[in-house]
């Protein structure tokens, strides 16, 4: 039997462990010592001075040339130096963001039997899941999720989206449309700031045939958060990720100069990050950056990660304009379908995969 068709072990919902009041973290969620988070001691504060940049998108493609250029410069330096930024005035309705997140919180609050109707398998990952990767005996993350395809429309299967709570399907459709528009604008901005034609990146990803999917992450409360991670260190395989974090629980950490920085979410902002495919297309001028999620013993956390991806079957390679004699193409071409298979088999693994694409120059 194809090993991608089923999980190697019985699936355990992390939320049910947490809801049953488990007092210790089972061994399969305990990370090796070096991967465990250094949690804050009670009473100490996170370093308020170090955080990912905040970029105001109000003037992106507005009439004022100078403000427009300044916005591009901010995006560009955030993509070079951090691979991450928080976007405010991004054009997506704050109300829609809140309603969509609330609907998903409600979904995860439904009885287990209801959620189980959407149980996923590693063949497509669509639906309600509790692990990434199919390696038997692998250490697991302290989270459950719901994964769905949004684009291309031919892969959109609304009957696999939650029927409850009632507005969920409609909200996801509307939310996806708004966030897709934001991704298109960001791609234009990134193209220009890389010195490429405005439509370069969009075209390189397949024009109107790009892919997009949504993963809603649910991080249950954890009795021993110092031993585990909600999501292990990884870079996102696609192009751009638009993350709607929980409105009042932090958890995302971004690696910067070897240190883990805990992102403090700005109200109504999106957290935007560069994925591996932008690193390839930009010939590593923009970098995808490792990030992970920590959990806590006080509160559950919900986040919505919208992944904007290339069309699955076209080779992705560095833009010709960014390849020179003194900066040869750093990566060999690969399709996204091939690329994504790796993470689907092996689970989150830092930046191991993009490293493996390196050409021998
Ligand atoms: C992801 C991710 C971060 C978060 O889903 O790829 O990095 O805060 N999520 O949930
Ligand atoms: Ni991620």
């Amino acid at each position: 039997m194809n090993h991608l068709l089923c999980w190697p072990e019985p699936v355990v919902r992390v939320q049910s462990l947490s809801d049953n009041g488990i007092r210790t973290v089972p061994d399969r969620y305990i990370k090796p010592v070096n991967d465990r988070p250094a949690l804050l001691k009670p009473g100490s504060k996170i370093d308020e001075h170090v955080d990912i940049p905040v970029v105001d998108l109000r003037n992106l493609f507005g009439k004022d040339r100078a403000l427009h250029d300044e916005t591009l410069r901010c995006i560009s330096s955030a993509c070079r130096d951090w691979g991450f930024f928080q976007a405010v005035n991004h054009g997506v309705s704050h109300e829609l963001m809140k309603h969509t997140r609330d609907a998903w919180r409600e979904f995860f609050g439904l009885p287990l039997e209801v959620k189980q109707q959407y149980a996923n398998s590693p063949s497509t990952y669509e639906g309600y899941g509790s692990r990434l990767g199919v390696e038997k005996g692998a250490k697991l993350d302290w989270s459950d999720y719901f994964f769905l395809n949004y684009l291309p429309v031919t892969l959109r299967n609304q009957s696999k989206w939650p029927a409850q709570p009632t507005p969920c399907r409609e909200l996801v459709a509307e939310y996806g449309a708004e966030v897709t528009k934001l991704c298109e604008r960001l791609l234009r901005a990134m193209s220009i700031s890389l010195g490429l034609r405005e439509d370069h990146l969009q075209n390189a990803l397949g024009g109107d045939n790009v892919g997009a999917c949504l993963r809603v992450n649910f991080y249950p409360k954890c009795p021993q958060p110092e031993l585990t991670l909600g999501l292990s260190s990884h870079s996102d395989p696609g192009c751009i990720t638009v993350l709607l974090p929980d409105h009042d629980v932090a958890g995302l950490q971004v690696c910067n100069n070897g240190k883990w920085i805990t992102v403090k979410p700005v109200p109504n902002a999106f957290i935007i990050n560069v994925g591996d495919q932008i690193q390839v297309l930009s010939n590593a001028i923009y970098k995808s950056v490792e990030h992970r999620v920590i959990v806590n013993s006080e509160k559950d956390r919900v986040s919505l990660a919208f992944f904007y991806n290339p069309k699955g079957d076209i080779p992705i390679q560095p833009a010709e304009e960014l390849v020179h004699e003194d900066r040869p193409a750093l990566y060999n071409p690969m399709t996204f379908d091939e690329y994504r298979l790796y993470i689907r088999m092996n689970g989150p693994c830092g930046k191991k995969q993009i490293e493996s694409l390196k050409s021998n120059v």
Side-chain angles (χ1 to χ4, degrees), residues 130-160:
S130 295
R131 67 185 288 164
L132 282 166
V134 292
E135 191 199 332
K136 199 167 175 183
K139 290 284 182 192
L140 301 182
D141 289 337
W142 192 264
S143 54
D144 302 318
Y145 63 85
F146 197 101
F147 181 82
L148 59 87
N149 288 319
Y150 187 77
L151 289 175
V153 175
T154 46
L155 284 185
R156 192 183 298 177
N157 189 350
Q158 281 187 315
S159 66
K160 290 194 177 175

Side-chain angles (χ1 to χ4, degrees), residues 163-180:
Q164 275 186 69
T166 326
C168 193
R169 288 181 182 167
E170 211 175 304
L171 284 168
V172 169
E174 201 182 330
Y175 180 83
E178 293 288 306
V179 176
T180 298

Side-chain angles (χ1 to χ4, degrees), residues 94-308:
H94 296 172
E95 211 167 69
L96 178 61
M97 292 162 72
K98 180 182 180 312
H99 288 160
T100 311
R101 188 176 48 211
D102 287 352
W104 281 106
R105 195 173 257 293
E106 213 178 313
F107 171 79
F108 283 99
L110 293 171
L112 186 62
E113 320 80 78
V114 179
K115 289 177 293 203
Q116 290 291 26
Q117 295 167 18
Y118 303 93
N120 75 348
S121 86
S123 62
T124 65
Y125 274 85
E126 281 177 290
Y128 181 47
S130 295
R131 67 185 288 164
L132 282 166
V134 292
E135 191 199 332
K136 199 167 175 183
K139 290 284 182 192
L140 301 182
D141 289 337
W142 192 264
S143 54
D144 302 318
Y145 63 85
F146 197 101
F147 181 82
L148 59 87
N149 288 319
Y150 187 77
L151 289 175
V153 175
T154 46
L155 284 185
R156 192 183 298 177
N157 189 350
Q158 281 187 315
S159 66
K160 290 194 177 175
W161 300 4
Q164 275 186 69
T166 326
C168 193
R169 288 181 182 167
E170 211 175 304
L171 284 168
V172 169
E174 201 182 330
Y175 180 83
E178 293 288 306
V179 176
T180 298
K181 272 191 243 160
L182 172 60
C183 291
E184 291 166 355
R185 293 171 72 211
L186 288 170
L187 276 185
R188 264 193 285 156
M190 288 180 189
S191 298
I192 300 168
S193 60
L194 285 165
L196 301 169
R197 279 181 42 170
E198 183 176 273
D199 56 2
H200 180 95
L201 290 174
Q202 186 77 45
N203 288 341
L205 303 180
D208 290 336
N209 300 310
V210 295
C213 40
L214 177 70
R215 188 170 71 219
V216 183
N217 300 297
F218 186 82
Y219 304 98
K221 282 183 278 198
C222 177
Q224 295 174 297
E226 66 283 3
L227 299 181
T228 189
L229 288 168
L231 185 51
S232 293
S233 177
H234 66 284
S235 59
D236 293 346
C239 292
I240 299 182
T241 304
V242 177
L243 183 84
L244 174 58
D246 199 286
H247 68 294
D248 72 344
V249 193
L252 174 65
Q253 294 191 319
V254 173
C255 189
N256 185 251
N257 293 325
K259 270 179 67 180
W260 288 105
I261 310 293
T262 304
V263 176
K264 199 158 164 278
V266 169
N268 298 314
F270 279 119
I271 299 172
I272 313 283
N273 67 286
V274 168
D276 295 344
Q277 306 306 313
I278 294 287
Q279 178 166 332
V280 171
L281 286 159
S282 72
N283 207 18
I285 295 175
Y286 291 168
K287 299 218 175 55
S288 65
V289 166
E290 280 187 56
H291 52 286
R292 67 181 189 183
V293 176
I294 55 171
V295 289
N296 72 87
S297 55
E298 308 284 311
K299 284 182 173 171
D300 298 334
R301 178 173 180 269
V302 176
S303 71
L304 277 63
F306 188 87
F307 303 105
Y308 197 76

Side-chain angles (χ1 to χ4, degrees), residues 55-75 88-91 185 188-189 192:
V55 181
D56 186 337
L57 301 184
R58 185 193 304 269
N59 298 304
L60 195 60
F61 308 115
K63 291 205 174 66
D64 188 314
R65 195 80 219 157
L67 290 172
H68 167 260
D69 291 354
E70 175 58 21
T71 312
L72 289 187
R73 273 194 295 276
C74 292
I75 293 176
V88 295
N89 293 314
H90 43 62
R185 293 171 72 211
R188 264 193 285 156
I192 300 168

